[in-house]
Amino acid sequence: MLQEKKILVMASKQCSSRVTCALLHLIMLLFLPLLIQSHSTHQHQHQNQQPFKSLQGCHKGQTVKGLNAIKQYLEMYGYLPHHHNNNTSSGDDDTFDDILESAVKTYQLNFHLNVTGILDSKTLQDMSLPRCGVPDIVDGHTSMRSGKNRHLGSTTHHTVAHYTFFNGRPRWPSSKTQLTYGFLPGVQVIGTQDLRSACSRAFDRWARVSHFTFQETQDYRSADLKIGFFRGDHGDGAPFYGPGNAIAHAFAPTRGWFHFDADEKWGTNQASDAFDVESVAVHEIGHLLGLGHSSVGGAIMYPSISMGVRKVNLHGDDVQGIKTLYNLN
Ligand SMILES: *[C@@H]1O[C@H](CO)[C@@H](O)[C@H](O)[C@H]1NC(C)=O
Ligand SMILES: *[C@@H]1O[C@H](CO)[C@@H](O)[C@H](O)[C@H]1NC(C)=O
Ligand SMILES: *[C@@H]1O[C@H](CO)[C@@H](O)[C@H](O)[C@H]1NC(C)=O
Ligand SMILES: [Zn+2]
Ligand SMILES: [Zn+2]
């Protein structure tokens, strides 16, 4: 079976802390079908898209049972503001209002869909794909495609895709160019040596285009950058939800946390049913240094990667991003 298991790797310094029991159930409801899908036949795949079927074609002005799930989804990933118990696009009603339409359009813009504001099948399909619970949009106003102006506080939407920074443009201080990294002892998901060498190569790619040097340390606790495998709710406000959702995340400077989801299948030899550790590491290190997501499909900082894909070469967009953030050249 063709495993169209596109996933999104996200990071943000603003991890959602709103993980209620209800939300958890919602997420399970959204993602469970996909988990099954990834191990099943086409026949099952068809069945498992039922939860969203009823929403196909939904547009502004309608009230359709189940729309609140889309609102919760968009809220969680930064496309809708957190408005609890409010009657304007709160996650708990089924009304398709202006705010929801605008959020859907931004989502469609980010994911290269037709920007119609209508929940067409392609949009619902992308929303059904596993991804993490931290927002794509960290300032609530602009999309991944307007990164050039985002840090200036502009809401101008660029038509040209670009790298982005975190809100407030956090970065490592100029005195801090030699960063150490360490691995959380204990959790064994892939071989220690495989992990170490994959990460070493990943760091090297960023070292070559920046003023940073990266050195491994045995002392995890004192390391500037802390790498580890975690599962479920692991205390940083950005829980993982098992296979097929978040596969990894990292935090903006200077927090230094880089977490792999221990419940995913990881590999270093491009197995078709595993995520490539080095590829994901290159992406997450970008976050550790201060880059947000880019909507350039070929960029390392594009939010998604498929199993079995090796994507380790920095794109011009990534390089331009890091150089701009640190005024290098
Ligand atoms: C609803 O949202 C409006 C504007 O976004 C805000 O002024 C108001 O306080 C909110 N009401 C509630 C009950 O949260
Ligand atoms: C939402 O609207 C309904 C009626 O339209 C109203 O009764 C209710 O109090 C409103 N809730 C909030 C939280 O504003
Ligand atoms: C966008 O719309 C056109 C025309 O309706 C369609 O052919 C195309 O497949 C759509 N693209 C996406 C990504 O949905
Ligand atoms: Zn990311
Ligand atoms: Zn984490």
Side-chain angles (χ1 to χ4, degrees):
M1 163 195 166
L2 190 82
Q3 278 200 6
E4 185 70 23
K5 203 170 180 205
K6 186 170 134 192
I7 47 75
L8 296 165
V9 207
M10 299 293 178
S12 166
K13 60 169 187 171
Q14 301 176 341
C15 283
S16 166
S17 59
R18 182 170 167 258
V19 183
T20 61
C21 199
L23 197 49
L24 206 65
H25 278 120
L26 167 80
I27 289 154
M28 289 318 290
L29 205 71
L30 285 171
F31 293 128
L32 201 59
L34 284 138
L35 307 188
I36 299 160
Q37 177 186 327
S38 68
H39 298 291
S40 67
T41 63
H42 265 284
Q43 196 184 347
H44 286 114
Q45 190 176 348
H46 188 71
Q47 280 175 7
N48 289 325
Q49 287 179 356
Q50 288 301 329
F52 287 115
K53 264 259 153 48
S54 62
L55 300 174
Q56 191 170 321
C58 279
H59 56 79
K60 190 171 75 177
Q62 293 183 311
T63 300
V64 181
K65 195 166 185 297
L67 259 183
N68 64 91
I70 298 293
K71 292 190 184 187
Q72 297 270 13
Y73 179 93
L74 289 169
E75 195 174 304
M76 194 182 317
Y77 305 131
Y79 292 89
L80 279 175
H82 291 282
H83 278 163
H84 305 307
N85 298 320
N86 201 322
N87 281 341
T88 47
S89 257
S90 70
D92 46 15
D93 76 55
D94 290 324
T95 311
F96 206 130
D97 57 15
D98 290 309
I99 299 172
L100 178 56
E101 183 185 56
S102 149
V104 170
K105 283 182 174 174
T106 306
Y107 181 89
Q108 290 170 329
L109 185 68
N110 277 351
F111 289 89
H112 307 276
L113 300 160
N114 287 330
V115 181
T116 57
I118 299 167
L119 290 173
D120 55 32
S121 63
K122 198 86 173 52
T123 303
L124 291 173
Q125 203 178 313
D126 272 16
M127 287 180 174
S128 302
L129 295 170
R131 50 162 299 166
C132 80
V134 289
D136 290 356
I137 300 171
V138 292
D139 63 6
H141 293 295
T142 58
S143 78
M144 276 155 34
R145 305 187 84 165
S146 57
K148 198 172 180 183
N149 276 4
R150 177 193 266 176
H151 56 277
L152 303 174
S154 165
T155 54
T156 307
H157 281 240
H158 280 244
T159 50
V160 179
H162 218 275
Y163 56 84
T164 64
F165 306 130
F166 288 98
N167 192 25
R169 215 177 169 177
R171 54 181 189 167
W172 292 89
S174 53
S175 59
K176 191 81 180 167
T177 61
Q178 297 177 294
L179 298 171
T180 58
Y181 64 94
F183 298 97
L184 178 73
V187 185
Q188 285 285 334
V189 175
I190 66 163
T192 305
Q193 285 313 318
D194 286 345
L195 176 65
R196 289 180 64 219
S197 55
C199 288
S200 169
R201 288 191 300 271
F203 278 116
D204 192 44
R205 294 176 190 280
W206 287 104
R208 271 182 256 150
V209 300
S210 70
H211 59 310
F212 290 108
T213 61
F214 303 98
Q215 183 158 30
E216 188 185 341
T217 167
Q218 299 306 310
D219 186 359
Y220 176 77
R221 283 173 51 182
S222 73
D224 298 311
L225 310 173
K226 298 176 169 64
I227 304 169
F229 286 86
F230 296 85
R231 51 172 48 94
D233 189 347
H234 51 285
D236 60 6
F240 291 125
Y241 296 103
N245 308 307
I247 63 158
H249 57 222
F251 290 67
T254 52
R255 182 111 20 117
W257 298 345
F258 168 1
H259 301 162
F260 290 99
D261 183 356
D263 285 334
E264 306 295 339
K265 202 161 173 217
W266 294 98
T268 52
N269 53 5
Q270 272 179 281
S272 63
D273 63 345
F275 295 106
D276 182 56
V277 171
E278 185 176 343
S279 303
V280 172
V282 180
H283 176 97
E284 298 304 330
I285 291 165
H287 288 314
L288 293 176
L289 298 179
L291 292 182
H293 286 144
S294 171
S295 64
V296 175
I300 284 292
M301 297 316 293
Y302 189 72
S304 66
I305 188 168
S306 303
M307 283 185 174
V309 167
R310 185 169 163 81
K311 184 181 178 187
V312 294
N313 294 315
L314 295 178
H315 185 280
D317 185 65
D318 303 309
V319 176
Q320 205 185 334
I322 195 76
K323 287 192 187 294
T324 302
L325 181 57
Y326 289 97
N327 303 316
L328 308 173
N329 268 314

